[in-house]
Amino acid sequence: MLARKSIIPEEDVLARIAAENLRKPRIRDRPRKARFIAKNGACNLAHKNIREQGRFLQDIFTTLVDLKWRHTLVIFTMSFLCSWLLFAMMWWLVAFAHGDMDPSTESTMNSTKWTPCVTCVRSFTSAFLFSIEVQVTIGFGGRMMTEECPLAITVLILQNIVGLIINAVMLGCIFMKTAQAHRRAETLIFSRQAVIAVRNGKLCFMFRVGDLRKSMIISASVRIQVVRKTTTPEGEVIPIHQVDIPVDNPIESNNIFLVAPLIICHVIDKRSPLYDISAADLVLQDLELIVILEGVVETTGITTQARTSYIAEEILWGHRFVPIVTEEEGVYAVDYSKFGNTVKVAAPRCSARELDEKPSILIQTLQKSELSHQNSLRKRNSMRRNNSIRRSNSMRRTNPSLIVPKVQFITPEGSQSASET
């Protein structure tokens, strides 16, 4: 308004706005890196410019299993229809070559001992129906083969063999698609976020994994990999550099007993890629931690694999998972509504390297946490005490019968003293 009325020159207004903009820190959003593994376990990878497409036909069964359901059903239907039509054409040619299609043969059959190759096959439609009856072994009884034509017997044997092969391949493909291992992985769940907290005096990277089914995963094992973009000393850029990190497991076989949700822990030590990363540096890191759970399905014996990943924004520093397993009436109960819930705990904000070099940082952090906890308890107790006093005073004001009456005492000297009892 002032600038419009020319009370303040426009040059001064523009200079002031420019100065304020310079003082304000400009925070630019860091470009988000594409995930290598999605949260549901799907690989975020596209294959392009594949020249040797014929390699997929060399393993035709795996190609059929990997196809989508609509493509598989189309191939399933067309394979049977094409085989029926092909052999229907062959049966029609056999009947035509033998002369069974000639209308004059019908009267000849009644007068003489004329025998056709296939009875009641006088058109392509009847040949198609006979082809279906042979391959599916229906056998209605109206059309049947005779021993007149050896070529027809050869076609019958060939169609039976081809039909068995098509049945075996197509039914095996449908069975493998319905019993694929990743279907069982749908009930293996991971926490949406991972945490970094102190456990047994060490900084640890932790996440929770669980199984929703009662049927167990046998010989289940967990692997963790860090995927990041690195550059070698020679200048070579590796866009997807994978580094295995160990998992803290007291069992020597490195298998887990996944009967209830477990917290998988990775101790951040000198072998860990997270050894030099602090809480402030974690936000700036372009890394992705991939979690792979493998095991054998108890009911089918098929090996299954469940995957997920955690990027820097999904790792909470100074948090811990809440307990979800309780004992109720002699049975251990799992509350899956709190599966991914966390609580904030005391944890040093420095890196694991700094914590190893200066162990006093952990002691100071725990002492500060204890003092803050005690102060919060004192404040809570004082607030409760004040609330109780206020409540009692308000009750006395509202209820006059609770007020103590004043009693006067007369001394022998005749003086009076008032006191409250």
Side-chain angles (χ1 to χ4, degrees), residues 129-317:
L129 293 175
F130 181 71
S131 175
I132 296 176
E133 294 176 14
V134 170
Q135 188 164 335
V136 191
T137 63
I138 297 176
F140 292 111
R143 285 172 287 271
M144 61 180 180
M145 276 194 57
T146 63
E147 57 185 14
E148 183 69 19
C149 302
L151 181 60
I153 298 174
T154 305
V155 174
L156 176 66
I157 295 173
L158 182 62
Q159 185 173 4
N160 286 329
I161 294 174
V162 174
L164 289 175
I165 293 175
I166 294 176
N167 288 336
V169 174
M170 290 293 104
L171 294 179
C173 178
I174 296 297
F175 173 76
M176 290 301 298
K177 285 188 71 67
T178 54
Q180 279 184 330
H182 66 85
R183 303 295 179 187
R184 179 62 175 88
E186 296 293 334
T187 53
L188 297 174
I189 58 175
F190 300 87
S191 57
R192 297 288 300 177
Q193 295 173 324
V195 299
I196 293 179
V198 178
R199 175 183 279 192
N200 298 327
K202 296 286 186 179
L203 278 176
C204 298
F205 170 82
M206 293 174 286
F207 60 92
R208 179 173 276 167
V209 60
D211 188 5
L212 299 179
R213 290 187 181 272
K214 290 185 178 181
S215 58
M216 295 178 53
I217 299 295
I218 304 172
S219 302
S221 61
V222 177
R223 294 187 292 114
I224 306 177
Q225 288 185 346
V226 174
V227 177
R228 66 198 313 178
K229 182 179 179 180
T230 58
T231 305
T232 62
E234 294 78 14
E236 180 185 1
V237 178
I238 304 176
I240 303 176
H241 182 59
Q242 303 179 17
V243 179
D244 286 331
I245 59 178
V247 178
D248 184 23
N249 193 354
I251 304 176
E252 295 181 359
S253 61
N254 202 26
N255 293 334
I256 58 175
F257 187 53
L258 196 60
V259 66
L262 299 177
I263 297 177
I264 307 301
C265 175
H266 159 64
V267 179
I268 304 177
D269 52 10
K270 295 181 180 179
R271 301 174 297 171
S272 174
L274 309 176
Y275 190 59
D276 295 323
I277 299 177
S278 63
D281 299 335
L282 181 62
V283 184
L284 305 176
Q285 295 293 322
D286 284 333
L287 56 85
E288 181 178 357
L289 284 89
I290 299 175
V291 179
I292 303 172
L293 172 63
E294 292 180 337
V296 179
V297 182
E298 184 181 20
T299 54
T300 61
I302 301 175
T303 303
T304 185
Q305 184 182 95
R307 300 179 296 268
T308 190
S309 67
Y310 300 98
I311 57 178
E313 290 81 2
E314 297 171 347
I315 301 175
L316 303 178
W317 194 290

Side-chain angles (χ1 to χ4, degrees), residues 25-197:
R26 296 183 180 181
I27 301 175
R28 296 181 179 179
D29 294 337
R30 184 168 53 92
R32 196 167 188 179
K33 180 186 175 183
R35 306 180 75 111
F36 186 59
I37 299 294
K39 295 298 290 184
N40 59 357
C43 296
N44 187 19
L45 189 66
H47 299 276
K48 297 182 179 180
N49 301 326
I50 300 177
R51 298 180 180 179
E52 299 180 0
Q53 298 287 346
R55 291 182 176 269
F56 294 99
L57 298 178
Q58 295 178 4
D59 188 9
I60 187 63
F61 185 77
T62 305
T63 303
L64 292 175
V65 173
D66 291 340
L67 289 177
K68 295 182 179 180
W69 268 107
R70 56 178 179 268
H71 299 154
T72 303
L73 293 178
V74 169
I75 294 175
F76 181 86
T77 305
M78 293 303 297
S79 61
F80 284 102
L81 285 177
C82 292
S83 65
W84 294 339
L85 289 172
L86 175 63
F87 284 98
M89 180 62 69
M90 296 177 67
W91 287 117
W92 184 84
L93 291 175
V94 168
F96 181 80
H98 192 257
D100 298 341
M101 299 294 181
D102 191 358
S104 61
T105 58
E106 186 175 358
S107 58
T108 307
M109 290 175 57
N110 298 327
S111 60
T112 61
K113 296 183 179 180
W114 173 264
T115 304
C117 292
V118 181
T119 60
C120 300
V121 176
R122 300 182 181 89
S123 63
F124 183 78
T125 304
S126 58
F128 179 73
L129 293 175
F130 181 71
S131 175
I132 296 176
E133 294 176 14
V134 170
Q135 188 164 335
V136 191
T137 63
I138 297 176
F140 292 111
R143 285 172 287 271
M144 61 180 180
M145 276 194 57
T146 63
E147 57 185 14
E148 183 69 19
C149 302
L151 181 60
I153 298 174
T154 305
V155 174
L156 176 66
I157 295 173
L158 182 62
Q159 185 173 4
N160 286 329
I161 294 174
V162 174
L164 289 175
I165 293 175
I166 294 176
N167 288 336
V169 174
M170 290 293 104
L171 294 179
C173 178
I174 296 297
F175 173 76
M176 290 301 298
K177 285 188 71 67
T178 54
Q180 279 184 330
H182 66 85
R183 303 295 179 187
R184 179 62 175 88
E186 296 293 334
T187 53
L188 297 174
I189 58 175
F190 300 87
S191 57
R192 297 288 300 177
Q193 295 173 324
V195 299
I196 293 179

